[in-house]
Amino acid sequence: MKRKSFDELTFADDGMFQAVMKNPELSAELVERLLGVHVKQVEYPELEKAIEPYYTSRGVRLDVYLKDEDRAIDVELQSYPQKALGKRMRYYQSMVDCDCLMKGQPYTKLRESYILFICKFDPFRDAAKSGYGLPRYTFRNICVENKDVNLDDKTLKVVYNASAYKSVEDPKVRALLRFIQTNEPGEDDFSKRLSEFVARVKENEKFRKEFSDMNLHDFDIMTEAKEEGLVEGRAEGARQKSVENARNALAMNLSAEQAAQITGLPLEQVLELQKELAPTH
């Protein structure tokens, strides 16, 4: 998998997507277009929001997390398939709820919550391993015995398949998905604004340096390799590869906790590797 250079980054690339969504107006308009809900004035979007409710539980890092007085919205953009999408969304949903409800508050204080995934591929497959081809998949909790019974839990999960943008009826949604999939803004005003913002971000030397230091794309490649089992092998070989991956992650200025999560190595072992890599004076 060829690593993109900074100048090759598009709106749909990790890092760039988060940088553009740092603009509250653009974030709100994207959400309104794809979810059809009016977003009131929001707090500054929290990028890569980390929610870690308990020391012993797995934390989650959200791409873009918006909240207003009525709702909480998590927006994720995925350029390549990852395993267990449904369970991933389920966990994100639970973490958002934990973040919204303070200790001692009644459940009635829970906000409406939305989990929005934008994929550049069809994430759902039938028995023949073929994509269903829908541009949008909407999930609500329903009563199997009687669909008129409304659980009314105020949650919604939506997954967009940008690769099927041609079959979208709504012209504004179609134009946005087309831009995400092809990086061509066309005549759509919002897509043009997103594209122009990407160009401005690329002129920002601070962001260019941050991208170079963090090497986000390499982090993506490493994550994908782990998800697809490309770093699996014989026991000893796999262990050595995990150590090598941990060293690379630390060299990319990722934290010991992040390196441990990526490689599956014990945190104590990663901390020892971090000490080895520390410069001596």
Side-chain angles (χ1 to χ4, degrees):
M1 187 173 180
K2 180 179 178 292
R3 185 175 78 85
K4 285 186 177 181
S5 68
F6 180 84
D7 292 323
E8 292 176 313
L9 291 179
T10 71
F11 172 70
D13 287 309
D14 191 16
M16 182 59 74
F17 172 68
Q18 294 160 356
V20 176
M21 289 294 96
K22 190 175 181 180
N23 182 295
E25 293 182 1
L26 294 178
S27 293
E29 187 165 347
L30 180 140
V31 166
E32 289 179 9
R33 201 176 268 211
L34 294 182
L35 291 180
V37 297
H38 175 65
V39 180
K40 299 177 182 178
Q41 185 172 356
V42 298
E43 304 168 6
Y44 201 75
E46 298 181 70
L47 304 183
E48 289 196 323
K49 164 74 174 181
I51 303 176
E52 299 176 355
Y54 303 107
Y55 175 74
T56 56
S57 66
R58 174 174 179 149
V60 62
R61 190 168 295 275
L62 308 178
D63 278 358
V64 180
Y65 185 51
L66 300 91
K67 289 194 294 188
D68 63 18
E69 61 187 27
D70 297 321
R71 55 178 61 92
I73 303 168
D74 167 40
V75 185
E76 307 287 329
L77 198 156
Q78 302 207 339
S79 295
Y80 54 82
Q82 296 187 19
K83 293 181 179 179
L85 178 64
K87 290 183 178 180
R88 186 185 299 267
M89 297 183 78
R90 168 184 165 185
Y91 195 71
Y92 285 14
Q93 176 75 69
S94 68
M95 293 296 100
V96 168
D97 286 344
C98 286
D99 185 59
C100 287
L101 197 65
M102 301 296 291
K103 183 178 181 180
Q105 284 187 316
Y107 296 121
T108 54
K109 294 295 184 181
L110 275 174
R111 309 180 195 195
E112 292 182 10
S113 66
Y114 298 79
I115 307 296
L116 171 62
F117 270 60
I118 309 166
C119 302
K120 293 184 66 176
F121 52 89
D122 194 335
F124 300 106
R125 303 282 166 173
D126 59 20
K129 304 298 183 182
S130 298
Y132 287 96
L134 295 177
R136 169 171 169 153
Y137 300 88
T138 304
F139 301 93
R140 297 181 187 272
N141 289 322
I142 63 170
C143 176
V144 175
E145 290 78 13
N146 185 339
K147 292 181 175 57
D148 291 331
V149 177
N150 187 359
L151 185 61
D152 198 29
D153 61 351
K154 305 299 184 186
T155 65
L156 183 72
K157 300 180 182 68
V158 175
V159 181
Y160 272 97
N161 167 22
S163 67
Y165 69 87
K166 293 181 180 178
S167 59
V168 177
E169 295 184 4
D170 186 317
K172 290 186 176 181
V173 175
R174 181 172 63 247
L176 176 56
L177 293 182
R178 177 181 181 272
F179 171 61
I180 290 172
Q181 185 68 19
T182 68
N183 198 39
E184 298 174 3
E187 298 302 317
D188 178 58
D189 177 67
F190 182 53
S191 298
K192 286 182 178 179
R193 286 163 54 205
L194 291 174
S195 182
E196 290 166 0
F197 203 95
V198 168
R200 290 201 296 273
V201 170
K202 288 183 177 181
E203 294 174 356
N204 187 312
E205 290 301 324
K206 181 175 181 292
F207 179 76
R208 181 183 290 269
K209 183 179 185 306
E210 288 175 351
F211 177 84
S212 176
D213 290 343
M214 293 177 67
N215 215 335
L216 286 172
H217 192 75
D218 277 353
F219 177 77
D220 275 354
I221 293 174
M222 188 182 300
T223 303
E224 182 181 17
K226 183 176 184 297
E227 290 282 346
E228 296 300 320
L230 298 179
V231 297
E232 298 300 327
R234 300 178 67 176
E236 181 59 24
R239 189 193 68 80
Q240 292 178 358
K241 188 65 175 179
S242 294
V243 170
E244 179 184 345
N245 285 342
R247 290 179 183 275
N248 291 337
L250 293 171
M252 292 189 292
N253 293 325
L254 296 179
S255 69
E257 290 79 6
Q258 289 172 320
Q261 184 175 356
I262 292 169
T263 61
L265 291 175
L267 178 59
E268 294 77 8
Q269 184 177 357
V270 177
L271 288 171
E272 288 299 320
L273 292 173
Q274 191 175 55
K275 289 180 182 178
E276 294 176 11
L277 293 174
T280 56
H281 298 284

